[in-house]
Structures are given as structure tokens and as C-alpha cells.
Amino acid sequence: MDKNANQTVVVLDFGGQYKELIARRVRECKVHSQILSGATPIDKLKDIAPIGIILTGGPHSVYEESSPHTVKELFELGIPILGICYGMQLMAYTLGGKVSACKVSEYGTINTTYDDAACALFKGLNTSALTLMSHTDFVDKMPNGFKGAAHTQDCPVAAMYNADKKLYAVQFHPEVERTAQGTQLLHNFLYEICGANGDYSIDDFIQREIVRIREQVGNHQVVLGLSGGVDSSVCAAILEKAIPNQLTCIFVDHGMMRKNEGDEIESVFANKNLNFVRVDAEQRFLTKLDGVSDPERKRKIIGEEFVRVFEEESSKFAGSFLAQGTIYPDVVESGLTTGAVIKSHHNVGGLPKDTKFIGLVEPLRSLFKDEVRELGRKLQLDETLVSRQPFPGPGLAVRCIGEITKEKLDILRDADYIFREELKKANLNYGQFFAVLTNMRTVGVMGDGRTYNYVVGLRAVITSDFMTCEYAHIPYEVLDVVSSRIVNEVQGVSRVVYDITGKPPATIEWE
């Protein structure tokens, strides 16, 4: 282990949906975290030398043969361990306790009583609290040497511990907001039990990463595909700081950005210590999309064409490193840490075959999205890019229903700009908000004439994770202004509607 590295807590994943949230909560407590598969070999854990290990929840029953298990040696390493939900049951089962099916399963927030004031997990916490439970099994018999530390009406062992061996476990989920003082409980585990010194911070990350980038790259050039999104923009910012005048940013302008967005991106990066290349490929993409209305075909065409354009432009820089704005959730979701593939990401696993690049640089690979934004602010990157909303790779193509044309994209750009401008004037900021140009026309009346123009849909949602959302209750007076401006100022629009569907059953995007 690198003597200069931060202290690390390893989160061992056993199929838990909250693994990333656990890791983020640890980092919020100023301790570095790393997610690994529950099947990680003991020798690898010894090499990492973590100050603590957290076992995640999971959907399985530990007494079933097909469920993920671990070895008893894990609990004999002398490293403090916290088991959460399935992690608690796994600890009990592996060490000779008994896990049984609940007579009454617990789901949702449950009042939990903390019975043992001597348990370090509960130091400074209230004697009872609402905690999030989600289990159909429970620890029926604790292993030898363990003491019960909490209970609920239907769960006699909601927490247990063996202080001598530094083994702790809770049946509930302290990492979620719905568990009162859950972050404080995790803080207690990290500082009271693991002996954390709180050495992890974005400032520290910047200094270490700059040194690492310089050592990896040397005097070579680096090429980055810059989209203007948060990840690629922050990636460019830290590379420019680490290796000024050695970075080329290739911005493929496919003509489907929001109004003025391409110019805004260029204005931010054109005057930095890097080579900014803007490729005007609008007509090329429109030609490829001519007559195509199926959303999946549009996505595929745009994705493939984007790669071709980037490859053509980047081929001028053979012998360089390739940089990517890969972030930690990309790595986790592609199965490289846990073995469970949730999403596939281009080149997350390394350089493509037959590449002319000599190596891959991924400065953000260990960061979560909120840390990436914090890093961008520390690097004094323009706030319009740091706080940029999620924007699909195909751009406005998936917000323009049906066939894509320059005329329709311009109509959508103008309508979307008005919507965003009026929300800003009203000091309204939601998780995501945008306009959609439907492929439907309706009758309207303007002046003394009859019109037959497009319908524009407006979408604004409130969400913390983008996995679910509810629609934003925009004040009627704001919607009135937006609708009036769009119909009067955007030629080709005769009607405006507002989408009030949550996710599920809808998705956030329309296509």
C-alpha cells in the first residue's frame, strides 16, 4: 500500500442497491471509500489494508446455497467490520449464528430502540429513532461473543456487536436519509471504531491527482473528447492544470446542442492553456438522420457517427494519451469492481483494440458526481458547466419527436431557451427541466388567421438520483409567461402543454 495514500474503507458489495450511497456517506465523513465485490479475495483486502470494511445489504437469504457468502477469515483479519442488513445476517451466519425467516417482515421506517449505551455505534445518538428497514430474514441467534444492541417490535436483534473483535452490525440502513442520525452512526463507526483521521478531501485529491497525471503522461500530448457536460469539462480543467499546453480538447458539435451552448463551451475553453478544436459536423449528422424517426435508430446513428468524427479528428494526434471523463459510478455499474454489470460504458475497461493512443488517462475515475462538481468549483471552472443539468448524448435529437430537421431543431432550441430563461428569472431550479418538440400539430388562431403548427411540451422534475422523479409544481403564473412567450416568439408553435407524469410510469426524457 502507498504510504502516502489516504486511509480507505472498503465497501464489500453483496448485491445491495445502496452500495454507492454507503461509499458516498463514508466520503462525506472525510474518509476515502472503495467498492469491491463481496467475492474479493482476502489477500487483495490485505494488500489494500483498509482501516474498516462495510458489508452491504442484498436481496438474498443467506441460508440459501445460491446466495453470496464469504469466508470466516474475513472476520479474523482484525479489521473493524460493519455489516448492514444482509451484511449483518452474513456476519451472523458465517460466525455460527442462526438466520431465519421473519414472522413479520419489516419494510419502511420503523421505530428502533437502541438498548446498549456502551455500543460505540450509538455514541451521542438518541435512545430510539426511525430507521429504514427492508428485510424478510432476521438474526434468530447471535454468534458466540456478540451482544444485542437494538430491537424493534418485530425484530429482537436490530443491531449486534463484539467489541473485542471490532465486529458490528445493524439490520437497518444507516446510509439513507430516512434513517434518523444514520450518518452520525457511520461517523461513529469510522472514528470511534476504525480510528479514522479524516484525511480525505477534494483539495488533497487535486494535489495527488496532479502528481499522478504528470508521472503518467510525462511530455506526451493528451486528447480528450469534450462534450461540455460536467464530467468531460471537469476532466479538461484538471488536465489543463496538471499539464498545461499538452492537452487537446476535441468538441464534436453535432448541431443538436441547446441554444448558444456550443459557443458557451468554446468561450470557456478557447482561452485556456490547451488546444481547443471545434468540429462543425451539423450537416453531416443531419444527413445521416434524414428520414429517421425511430428513437433507438436515432440514438444509434448519432452514437456511431460521433465515434467516427472523433476518430477522424483524433487520428491527427497519434502517439498521444486518450483522456476520458469516466467517474466512479461508471466503473461500478460496468462491473469492474463488483462483477455485476448494470450499464455498459464505452472504453471503461481500457483502450479499444487497434488504437493509435499509447495510454488512457481517467482523472475522475475514483469520484462520485457530487465530488466532480465540487472539484470543478475548486478548479474555478465556469459555474454554467459545473452545475449543468444532465443532457443526453444525442442532444436535442431525443427531445425532437419524429424526424429530425434543422427547422425543427431551431424551433425546439428557441422554445427551450425561453423556458429555461423564465425559470431562472423566477429563481426556480429543479433536478431537470427542458422543452420537447412533439411531432403533433394542432389548430391555432393568430390575429385573424388560422394556424396549424407544432405542440411544444414542457418537462420539469424533482429528483435526487434520477432513478425516480416527480413532476415539479411550477407556479401557474410562470407557466403563463412561458407559454405566452413561446407561442408569440417562436414561429411554428401554436400550443404549449406541461407534462405532469412522474417516473415511474414515465421516463424523464420523452424518447
Side-chain angles (χ1 to χ4, degrees):
M1 180 180 176
D2 181 0
K3 293 181 180 180
N4 295 316
N6 296 107
Q7 291 182 322
T8 294
V9 165
V10 169
V11 178
L12 290 182
D13 177 39
F14 292 93
Q17 61 177 317
Y18 297 132
K19 58 181 175 290
E20 290 181 27
L21 186 53
I22 295 171
R24 283 178 56 196
R25 291 286 183 257
V26 171
R27 294 188 185 193
E28 287 170 6
C29 294
K30 301 188 182 303
V31 179
H32 183 255
S33 61
Q34 181 179 0
I35 302 173
L36 294 175
S37 166
T40 300
I42 295 297
D43 286 344
K44 182 173 181 179
L45 292 176
K46 289 179 179 178
D47 289 341
I48 296 171
I51 62 168
I53 296 172
I54 299 178
L55 315 180
T56 75
H60 311 280
S61 290
V62 72
Y63 44 77
E64 293 179 352
E65 188 175 340
S66 59
S67 297
H69 292 99
T70 189
V71 293
K72 189 176 181 182
E73 187 181 355
L74 174 68
F75 303 100
E76 297 171 345
L77 293 173
I79 299 171
I81 297 178
L82 173 64
I84 296 175
C85 197
Y86 181 85
M88 171 174 171
Q89 296 165 15
L90 182 64
M91 182 184 293
Y93 181 85
T94 306
L95 296 177
K98 181 181 179 183
V99 177
S100 304
C102 295
K103 293 181 180 179
V104 178
S105 299
E106 291 182 314
Y107 294 101
T109 49
I110 306 292
N111 189 59
T112 304
T113 301
Y114 303 147
D115 302 313
D116 192 340
C119 179
L121 286 180
F122 303 130
K123 181 179 179 180
L125 273 61
N126 298 331
T127 55
S128 66
L130 289 176
T131 66
L132 181 71
M133 293 280 193
S134 180
H135 65 108
T136 56
D137 296 326
F138 76 109
V139 174
D140 198 356
K141 178 185 176 183
M142 291 180 287
N144 291 335
F146 278 76
K147 297 174 62 177
H151 75 278
T152 70
Q153 179 177 323
D154 298 301
C155 183
V157 184
M160 66 179 193
Y161 72 109
N162 183 326
D164 292 338
K165 295 187 177 182
K166 298 181 181 179
L167 303 178
Y168 294 78
V170 292
Q171 185 59 65
F172 53 89
H173 289 273
E175 69 274 18
V176 301
E177 292 180 357
R178 293 171 65 188
T179 292
Q181 296 183 290
T183 299
Q184 181 60 43
L185 186 150
L186 290 173
H187 189 279
N188 286 343
F189 174 68
L190 297 171
Y191 286 86
E192 300 293 330
I193 300 166
C194 299
N197 57 29
D199 62 359
Y200 179 73
S201 71
I202 287 297
D203 289 314
D204 180 67
F205 171 86
I206 291 172
Q207 298 307 315
R208 292 179 186 274
E209 191 60 24
I210 285 174
V211 171
R212 192 197 66 78
I213 292 169
R214 289 172 179 169
E215 289 178 349
Q216 179 186 8
V217 171
N219 295 321
H220 290 93
Q221 294 292 310
V222 178
V223 177
L224 169 69
L226 180 68
S227 70
V230 177
D231 301 339
S232 68
S233 297
V234 175
C235 183
I238 193 168
L239 286 169
E240 187 240 3
K241 186 175 181 65
I243 48 169
N245 302 313
Q246 290 177 243
L247 173 65
T248 294
C249 292
I250 299 175
F251 169 46
V252 178
D253 188 350
H254 51 28
M256 280 159 275
M257 305 293 284
R258 289 170 286 203
K259 188 171 183 176
N260 301 328
E261 205 159 38
D263 294 339
E264 290 170 358
I265 293 167
E266 183 171 3
S267 69
V268 170
F269 289 101
N271 296 318
K272 292 187 178 294
N273 295 318
L274 53 81
N275 177 30
F276 182 85
V277 178
R278 182 174 181 176
V279 183
D280 183 1
E282 179 183 44
Q283 191 54 53
R284 177 171 175 171
F285 278 83
L286 287 174
T287 300
K288 290 286 184 179
L289 291 166
D290 185 32
V292 178
S293 59
D294 178 75
E296 286 308 308
R297 279 197 65 203
K298 286 192 287 188
R299 287 178 181 273
K300 186 174 181 179
I301 289 170
I302 292 169
E304 290 178 349
E305 197 62 20
F306 187 93
V307 171
R308 290 194 185 100
V309 175
F310 179 77
E311 286 178 343
E312 289 171 12
E313 194 64 36
S314 63
S315 66
K316 303 172 185 177
F317 303 95
S320 301
F321 280 84
L322 173 67
Q324 292 186 161
T326 307
I327 65 175
Y328 199 40
D330 297 337
V331 178
V332 173
E333 290 174 350
S334 26
L336 296 182
T337 59
T338 65
V341 179
I342 301 172
K343 297 178 183 177
S344 59
H345 294 268
H346 182 57
N347 289 350
V348 168
L351 285 170
K353 294 180 180 179
D354 304 320
T355 183
K356 295 181 180 179
F357 293 110
I358 60 174
L360 185 62
V361 184
E362 295 176 306
L364 314 181
R365 188 180 176 88
S366 66
L367 300 182
F368 287 99
K369 178 72 80 173
D370 52 346
E371 294 175 309
V372 173
R373 293 188 195 276
E374 183 184 354
L375 174 60
R377 293 187 177 99
K378 292 283 187 181
L379 294 169
Q380 299 182 321
L381 185 63
D382 192 280
E383 183 61 29
T384 58
L385 296 180
V386 173
S387 59
R388 190 184 187 208
Q389 293 183 32
F391 189 58
L396 296 181
V398 295
R399 296 176 182 173
C400 185
I401 312 302
E403 183 180 357
I404 303 295
T405 66
K406 177 70 161 59
E407 176 194 16
K408 289 173 69 176
L409 288 170
D410 286 341
I411 290 172
L412 177 54
R413 261 187 279 269
D414 289 340
D416 182 74
Y417 183 82
I418 289 170
F419 184 36
R420 290 186 291 123
E421 184 178 54
E422 290 300 327
L423 288 186
K424 183 177 181 180
K425 286 180 183 178
N427 291 317
L428 296 172
N429 189 26
Y430 304 112
Q432 196 167 355
F433 47 91
F434 53 88
V436 175
L437 185 66
T438 73
N439 205 30
M440 178 173 59
R441 295 174 185 261
T442 65
V443 175
V445 177
M446 288 190 177
D448 296 324
R450 181 177 183 273
T451 62
Y452 190 62
N453 289 323
Y454 286 108
V455 177
V456 165
L458 304 178
R459 181 79 157 140
V461 299
I462 298 171
T463 180
S464 59
D465 56 12
F466 294 90
M467 309 236 355
T468 62
C469 78
E470 59 183 57
Y471 76 90
H473 292 240
I474 298 176
Y476 288 143
E477 56 268 26
V478 177
L479 288 174
D480 285 345
V481 174
V482 173
S483 176
S484 177
R485 282 195 60 191
I486 290 175
V487 171
N488 284 287
E489 297 177 29
V490 183
Q491 189 174 358
V493 178
S494 62
R495 194 178 299 263
V496 176
V497 298
Y498 184 52
D499 183 349
I500 61 169
T501 319
K503 175 187 180 182
T507 55
I508 294 178
E509 299 287 346
W510 275 38
E511 281 200 339

